[in-house]
Amino acid sequence: MSDTKQAAKAERKAAKLAQQIGTFAKAHGGAEAQVAYIGQLGARIVLVGEDGGWGDLVAPTYAIAEAAVAKAGVTVHEDFDGEFAAKVRTGPYEWSRMAGIQVGGPANSNT
């Protein structure tokens, strides 16, 4: 694939991710993000809404993830810690799925 076609494809992917980030932000009263490199899989964009809701997206490259958050116009944090991490609100579902085995909740299986 030519460099021009690759750049156009990356631009389209960043625009699509930016649109998804915007939709999340609108549904949650605004949003902030953190981009984390996840190896060959690309980069993870963790989103935290003003209401404490959270979600994530995966971009094929770190550069595309950075372009997406820039296009979306959200605040980007270097790390997922401190005040930013404290904004996340989890419910019973998340607690049972993340720590279910350790604290006697449902096992992480389909049985």
Side-chain angles (χ1 to χ4, degrees), residues 34-38 41-46 54-59 61-62 65:
Q34 190 261 335
V35 178
Y37 178 69
I38 54 174
L41 296 175
R44 180 179 184 207
I45 304 168
V46 178
W54 61 279
D56 67 348
L57 299 165
V58 175
T61 68
Y62 193 87

Side-chain angles (χ1 to χ4, degrees), residues 44 54 88-103 105-108:
R44 180 179 184 207
W54 61 279
V88 174
R89 298 289 171 246
T90 56
Y93 173 79
E94 288 86 3
W95 280 101
S96 68
R97 298 304 291 172
M98 289 188 285
I101 295 169
Q102 292 82 8
V103 297
N108 290 326

Side-chain angles (χ1 to χ4, degrees), residues 57-77:
L57 299 165
V58 175
T61 68
Y62 193 87
I64 290 172
E66 285 185 313
V69 295
K71 283 181 181 295
V74 296
T75 299
V76 180
H77 296 267

